[in-house]
Amino acid sequence: MRVPPRRIEPVRFQLAACTLREWRRGDEPSLVRHANNRNVWINLRDSFPFPYRPADAKAWIRLASTDAVGQVFAIDVDGFAVGAIGLRPGEDVHRASAEIGYWLGEEFWNRGISTEAVKAVTAHAFEKLEMVRVHAEVFAWNTASMRVLEKAGFVKEGVLAKSALKDRKVIDQVLYARTRE
């Protein structure tokens, strides 16, 4: 007798200021609206395109529905995807660690949404994924993101001097981490 494949329910977090949910078809217009912003792009890795076009959104939603990018969630406010947050688990000897990354549409900045999302996803990493450490590398100019991490219980571990090239500038990154208690 053939056993049907087990359906894995998507992870969803209902938070006070937002919902973290799976990416889905139909998110493309909102994704383009909030991602196509130089002030968002300047704080992200170059794999995040700018300008951000509909084809980029379509490709992202297709990719985010696989395991190729780790666990990644849409940050949903009032039914619209306005940002993203995700975990990229380490490999080999780093398999008990994960890198967290996130972005939020500029019109939603300074509302506590990112902090709330970082806290929820970090707790998920520790409790459900059994990670021991979650870390983030932040461009030295991104003090707002450093503050988000600090409010979420992350500790500054050090500065990675001249470790990144962004917008034709060699810049430092600041390493933040939180470990499971």
Side-chain angles (χ1 to χ4, degrees), residues 37-140:
N37 180 323
R38 189 175 188 336
N39 293 330
V40 169
W41 169 83
I42 197 68
N43 293 306
L44 300 173
R45 294 186 177 161
D46 286 343
S47 58
F48 190 93
F50 184 77
Y52 201 99
R53 297 188 168 100
D56 299 315
K58 185 176 182 183
W60 168 250
I61 290 168
R62 187 173 43 251
L63 181 64
S65 65
T66 71
D67 289 334
V69 291
Q71 288 209 329
V72 62
F73 306 96
I75 299 175
D76 180 309
V77 175
D78 297 328
F80 295 97
V82 300
I85 187 165
L87 294 166
R88 181 178 297 167
E91 298 176 352
D92 200 314
V93 298
H94 302 287
R95 65 187 170 271
S97 295
E99 181 177 18
I100 192 168
Y102 52 91
W103 68 268
L104 187 64
E106 188 172 11
E107 70 184 80
F108 296 93
W109 292 359
N110 301 310
R111 296 188 191 180
I113 294 169
S114 292
T115 300
E116 185 179 47
V118 168
K119 286 178 179 179
V121 171
T122 301
H124 173 69
F126 293 151
E127 296 163 14
K128 301 297 183 192
L129 304 180
E130 299 180 353
M131 293 294 161
V132 176
R133 181 176 191 272
V134 177
H135 67 276
E137 296 173 3
V138 182
F139 297 147

Side-chain angles (χ1 to χ4, degrees), residues 8 19 67 70 77 90 104 124 128 130 140 142-143 146 149 173:
I8 298 173
T19 301
D67 289 334
V77 175
L104 187 64
H124 173 69
K128 301 297 183 192
E130 299 180 353
N142 192 352
T143 56
M146 290 180 214
L149 291 164
Q173 294 179 95

Side-chain angles (χ1 to χ4, degrees), residues 144-172:
S145 191
M146 290 180 214
R147 187 69 191 121
V148 163
L149 291 164
E150 290 165 359
K151 288 190 289 184
F154 284 67
V155 175
K156 178 180 173 180
E157 290 189 334
V159 175
L160 307 171
K162 298 182 180 182
S163 60
L165 177 65
K166 182 67 179 185
D167 201 29
R168 293 187 232 130
K169 296 177 185 81
V170 176
I171 57 171
D172 296 346

